[in-house]
Amino acid sequence: MTKSARTTPAPKLSRELIIRSALEMIDESGAQGLSMRSLGQQLGVEAMSLYRHVHGKEDLLEGVVALLMGDLASTLEEESGEHWQAFLQTVAHEVRRIAGDHPMAFPLIATRHPAAPWLRPPLRSVEVVDVFLRALIGQGFTDEQAVDAYRAFSSFLLGQLLLESAVHGAQTGPVEEPLDEGDASVPQEDGKVSLDDAPEVRRLRSLLSEDRSREEFEVSLETLLDRLDRELSQ
């Protein structure tokens, strides 16, 4: 450690500063190397000081995902009255923008939410899933059709964008599921792990938790083959 580094005062800690610093670390080297200890070193404080603002790595990752998604849920709320095709276009381009801005951190979005580990495909922001379902049901989709659309659309979107993130060096394997050390309530409601704000996700749990990956794979494969056949016959 240099003399200047020793004499530079540590920044005043806050939840926002900690989460933004964690995102910066992930953007630089990926989520695999993030720990409370390494983050404390980055901020020039002892790791234990971070626990006054975040209750462990689980809470930290919830805050990072909330920061990553930013205003996505509110943007989708504003667009939910549009035609469903226009709505899905907005979803796709907004999520792709996030992946482009933060390719190393983007894989965190495609991980299990601690309050909904049964969500298939997994998406860490259940608020976004809830807006998605409500928007399509409001456009006349049945519960089953809305869940099928979520499955198909998120599988396509996350699959495509995870590949793009991998090109930029992201590790797209599952992040180790951390424990929420401290077993305390999440401060400032920024990383809450309940489904209180996602009533549609909670209501449609039985449909959202079904494992239909084999069937969905075959449907996607047939759709691709049909498209290639049409192109070849033109």
Side-chain angles (χ1 to χ4, degrees):
M1 182 179 294
T2 65
K3 182 177 180 180
S4 60
R6 287 196 301 268
T7 57
T8 300
K12 183 178 180 180
L13 288 183
S14 67
R15 181 177 175 84
E16 180 180 2
L17 174 64
I18 292 169
I19 290 173
R20 288 191 178 278
S21 298
L23 178 56
E24 289 175 3
M25 287 188 67
I26 294 171
D27 279 341
E28 183 175 339
S29 56
Q32 305 296 336
L34 178 67
S35 67
M36 299 294 280
R37 178 178 295 180
S38 64
L39 183 57
Q41 291 175 343
Q42 176 79 3
L43 291 168
V45 300
E46 294 293 332
M48 289 304 297
S49 300
L50 304 179
Y51 286 88
R52 299 174 184 171
H53 306 276
V54 293
H55 294 302
K57 191 174 178 181
E58 184 73 78
D59 184 19
L60 181 62
L61 292 183
E62 288 300 301
V64 168
V65 170
L67 180 59
L68 269 179
M69 302 304 269
D71 297 326
L72 178 60
S74 60
T75 298
L76 298 186
E77 285 276 13
E78 294 173 1
E79 299 293 328
S80 61
E82 298 293 326
H83 188 274
W84 64 268
Q85 290 183 347
F87 174 77
L88 293 182
Q89 288 276 357
T90 299
V91 174
H93 289 293
E94 286 296 311
V95 175
R96 190 169 190 265
R97 177 184 58 77
I98 294 169
D101 290 345
H102 303 281
M104 299 291 280
F106 183 75
L108 285 175
I109 292 174
T111 58
R112 294 181 298 163
H113 189 280
W118 36 263
L119 188 63
R120 296 175 182 269
L123 192 70
R124 200 162 184 99
S125 176
V126 294
E127 292 83 2
V128 169
V129 181
D130 200 70
V131 175
F132 186 101
L133 295 172
R134 283 192 284 110
L136 294 191
I137 291 171
Q139 292 279 331
F141 284 60
T142 65
D143 289 350
E144 291 77 8
Q145 289 170 334
V147 170
D148 285 346
Y150 163 72
R151 291 180 187 279
F153 199 70
S154 58
S155 293
F156 153 72
L157 190 59
L158 294 177
Q160 176 70 29
L161 296 180
L162 285 171
L163 286 175
E164 292 185 21
S165 297
V167 171
H168 291 89
Q171 297 185 35
T172 56
V175 177
E176 179 183 358
E177 284 296 310
L179 296 176
D180 189 356
E181 304 96 327
D183 193 27
S185 60
V186 178
Q188 302 177 18
E189 301 183 345
D190 189 12
K192 64 174 65 173
V193 295
S194 74
L195 295 180
D196 291 344
D197 292 333
E200 289 300 298
V201 173
R202 186 173 62 246
R203 183 176 71 83
L204 298 175
R205 173 172 179 166
S206 62
L207 291 174
L208 289 166
S209 60
E210 291 178 0
D211 185 0
R212 298 173 56 187
S213 54
R214 182 184 296 273
E215 174 188 343
E216 290 159 2
F217 177 82
E218 294 297 335
V219 170
S220 298
L221 177 60
E222 288 298 322
T223 301
L224 175 59
L225 294 177
D226 287 344
R227 193 192 78 184
L228 294 175
D229 184 58
R230 288 195 302 272
E231 293 179 353
L232 187 62
S233 61
Q234 289 178 354

